[in-house]
Amino acid sequence: MNFRWPWAEPTKTRRTRLALDLEDTLAYAVGDVHGCHEELLALEAKIEADAAFFSGRKLIIMLGDYVDRGPASSSVLDHLLRPPPPGFERICLAGNHEIAMLDYCEGRITLGEWTSLGGDATLISYGLDPAYLGRAFGSARKADEHIRKSIPDGHMHFLHDLPVLVETPHFVFVHAGIRPGLSLDEQSDDDLTRIRSDFLHHPHGLRQWIVHGHTPVPTIVPEGRRLNIDTGAFYSGCLSAVRIWRKKGHVIST
């Protein structure tokens, strides 16, 4: 059984889902970053070196969870708002931590609910100490107002606009997974960004491979037509990607 976040709102407008053809495209999917800016730069350098032989279309697909837990979430968002490495395109998908950050900033959850997920590390990366602000302002409401005004507009627009899924003829790229037994059109944003045990412990039933993150693993091993590439960068120091070329994969890690 999956835990359901108390603030989940399935009636909200669905996030964009993208359909791509990766034929003759060298694609790299990147797992959960969680504020690990240095590891992201190191992984991108490895991806650039790995792709140096290739002169065709090159694409990086980020699988979500750029913020929380690690030390440099604001720098990660700044980086993802800049152009991708030369010669590459980049697609950034939404993870549950981006949605939680947005939900706090727009008043749908409390500061405590966000910081319980690691949002305190994100705030500190903006130079905001939530414990100090609570004391300094004397009320949670005033502290919330100050925090929400301090998040750059560009970061807020980025969080708003993240798509939630990329579908190709042979692969589906998504943050958490899919609900088995439902078509991709029937999947909710909530499941795509938060599902865990119902996806991990049951066959998903699609013809495509699912490439995902969300649940940290010590090693990347294909399992039941799915590949989990979240190697827990914020505590392990290992940020991972998988290179996909003509239906074959190769793992690259920091």
Side-chain angles (χ1 to χ4, degrees):
M1 183 175 180
N2 287 285
F3 176 79
R4 185 173 182 82
W5 301 104
W7 57 84
E9 295 181 6
T11 58
K12 289 190 291 186
T13 302
R14 290 203 332 170
R15 287 180 175 265
T16 301
R17 291 113 193 272
L18 304 175
L20 299 180
D21 186 351
L22 293 186
E23 186 70 24
D24 297 326
T25 298
L26 187 63
Y28 295 83
V30 176
D32 301 35
V33 178
H34 276 306
C36 296
H37 183 235
E38 291 185 4
E39 289 82 354
L40 177 57
L41 296 180
L43 184 61
E44 282 191 353
K46 287 192 171 189
I47 289 172
E48 285 189 81
D50 184 74
F53 74 94
F54 190 74
S55 60
R57 184 190 186 205
K58 295 182 279 193
L59 173 66
I60 296 172
I61 302 174
M62 307 292 299
L63 296 185
D65 277 8
Y66 316 116
V67 301
D68 297 349
R69 295 178 175 161
S73 293
S74 63
S75 295
V76 169
L77 295 186
D78 282 339
H79 179 75
L80 294 176
L81 282 165
R82 299 187 190 109
F88 283 82
E89 301 169 41
R90 182 166 59 207
I91 296 170
C92 296
L93 299 181
N96 59 303
H97 285 262
E98 286 74 59
I99 292 173
M101 180 176 175
L102 186 64
D103 282 347
Y104 167 72
C105 289
E106 295 185 341
R108 287 185 290 276
I109 66 172
T110 67
L111 180 59
E113 287 172 316
W114 182 29
T115 58
S116 72
L117 299 174
D120 51 339
T122 298
L123 289 173
I124 289 169
S125 77
Y126 288 101
L128 301 167
D129 182 339
Y132 168 77
L133 290 174
R135 295 192 300 271
F137 283 99
S139 77
R141 181 182 60 80
K142 289 181 179 179
D144 286 338
E145 288 176 356
H146 178 77
I147 291 169
R148 288 163 178 155
K149 289 177 181 176
S150 300
I151 306 299
D153 288 344
H155 290 190
M156 291 297 295
H157 290 309
F158 177 80
L159 299 176
H160 264 290
D161 294 343
L162 294 171
V164 79
L165 176 146
V166 173
E167 180 184 4
T168 79
H170 302 290
F171 298 92
V172 173
F173 300 90
V174 67
H175 175 62
I178 66 167
R179 182 160 296 282
L182 298 180
S183 70
L184 289 180
D185 287 343
E186 295 174 302
Q187 301 289 330
S188 69
D189 289 0
D190 188 55
D191 280 335
L192 295 173
T193 57
R194 295 184 171 107
I195 197 168
R196 210 180 294 273
S197 62
D198 285 352
F199 169 64
L200 298 177
H201 300 144
H202 300 88
H204 60 70
L206 296 185
R207 69 183 187 282
Q208 296 108 315
W209 278 80
I210 309 294
V211 181
H212 67 98
H214 186 54
T215 302
V217 291
T219 55
I220 296 174
V221 180
E223 231 180 297
R225 295 189 72 78
R226 66 174 182 84
L227 188 69
N228 183 354
I229 61 169
D230 176 8
T231 46
F234 74 95
Y235 64 82
S236 71
C238 179
L239 180 63
S240 297
V242 59
R243 179 229 294 153
I244 295 173
W245 170 246
R246 292 182 174 171
K247 298 188 283 186
K248 293 184 178 180
H250 172 73
V251 172
I252 301 170
S253 298
T254 56

